[in-house]
Amino acid sequence: RMYPCIDADRMALAGFSMGGSGTYHLAAHRPDQWAVAHAGAAFAETYHYTRGGGASGGANDQSGAPWYEKVLWGLYDTPCYTRSLCTNIPFIGYNGADDDSTYPQSTSIMEAAYAEHGARMELILAPHTPHEYEATALTEVVRRMQRHMAAGIDHQPDEIRIQTRTLRYGSAHWLQMTGLEEHWVDSRLDALRHHPTAGPEGA
């Protein structure tokens, strides 16, 4: 609203490390707001990341957390929203192959989450690189992002899939959940729109 020159249909969401984790969070929850999302060297969920692997280390072990805290991880953790992410928005991941803070731990979790929904996460892996961008890989990240930004957001896709645990994040484009039989459990809604053609069979 403050800058009318910005094309809202061609906004990109991107971040590195903690910023990449924020990208996961925002892209999975609001996948219809961005033309493309990119997360570099980012953690994607709470339990496995804080139990001992990655930068947080064992001092932040959450395995003894009370049940209600674990339930509320479902508000944030990206694997709980992967179906929304992999269906509704182009997503580009990045990791350095020598980055022991998020690779392969967080990356493998998200690759498995994508695979669960029959998708493959687009990942750029820079060899011999620690927790930073490698120049050639960063150039490729930007190139791919620009391609999706040029295409813009498709606000009327024929297929939408939503995965959530709360109605707060239960919508994408023209599809919206209006109720859940039980909150804070894995809930999914898929919709496929058929365009009318000549004859009743095509309706």
Side-chain angles (χ1 to χ4, degrees):
R1 289 192 298 267
M2 292 175 64
Y3 299 93
C5 59
I6 293 176
D7 186 348
D9 287 338
R10 287 173 172 79
M11 292 195 299
L13 176 67
F16 183 83
S17 192
M18 186 177 289
S21 303
T23 295
Y24 267 137
H25 176 70
L26 293 170
H29 287 150
R30 303 295 188 196
D32 54 1
Q33 301 296 305
W34 324 97
V36 59
H38 161 66
F43 71 90
E45 50 77 54
T46 308
Y47 180 75
H48 294 94
Y49 185 75
T50 57
R51 280 198 66 186
S56 295
N60 290 325
D61 188 344
Q62 298 291 321
S63 59
W67 67 269
Y68 49 84
E69 183 174 323
K70 293 179 180 180
V71 168
L72 290 176
W73 288 344
L75 178 68
Y76 180 89
D77 288 355
T78 306
C80 301
Y81 301 85
T82 302
R83 196 171 186 84
S84 298
L85 180 64
C86 69
T87 305
N88 301 310
I89 181 174
F91 180 85
I92 303 164
Y94 166 85
N95 257 112
D98 292 343
D99 183 355
D100 59 3
S101 63
T102 57
Y103 184 81
Q105 186 266 340
S106 292
T107 303
S108 62
I109 286 175
M110 285 308 301
E111 287 181 321
Y114 264 67
E116 178 187 340
H117 301 285
R120 181 177 178 272
M121 188 174 77
E122 185 176 351
L123 176 67
I124 297 174
L125 186 63
H128 314 297
T129 304
H131 193 64
E132 63 187 31
Y133 278 110
E134 188 273 329
T136 303
L138 179 57
T139 299
E140 179 62 17
V141 167
V142 173
R143 186 191 69 81
R144 296 187 190 188
M145 290 183 66
Q146 288 176 334
R147 183 179 74 247
H148 291 296
M149 290 167 65
I153 301 173
D154 179 8
H155 292 287
Q156 296 295 325
D158 289 337
E159 183 176 12
I160 299 175
R161 297 178 180 181
I162 296 173
Q163 180 183 17
T164 188
R165 299 190 177 200
T166 168
L167 291 177
R168 180 175 183 178
Y169 302 122
S171 65
H173 297 295
W174 47 264
L175 184 64
Q176 181 174 1
M177 291 182 175
T178 59
L180 296 172
E181 291 183 0
E182 183 178 354
H183 291 259
W184 304 113
V185 298
D186 183 46
S187 305
R188 304 177 185 187
L189 177 62
D190 296 351
L192 181 64
R193 181 168 55 191
H194 294 276
H195 293 277
T197 59
E201 295 181 358

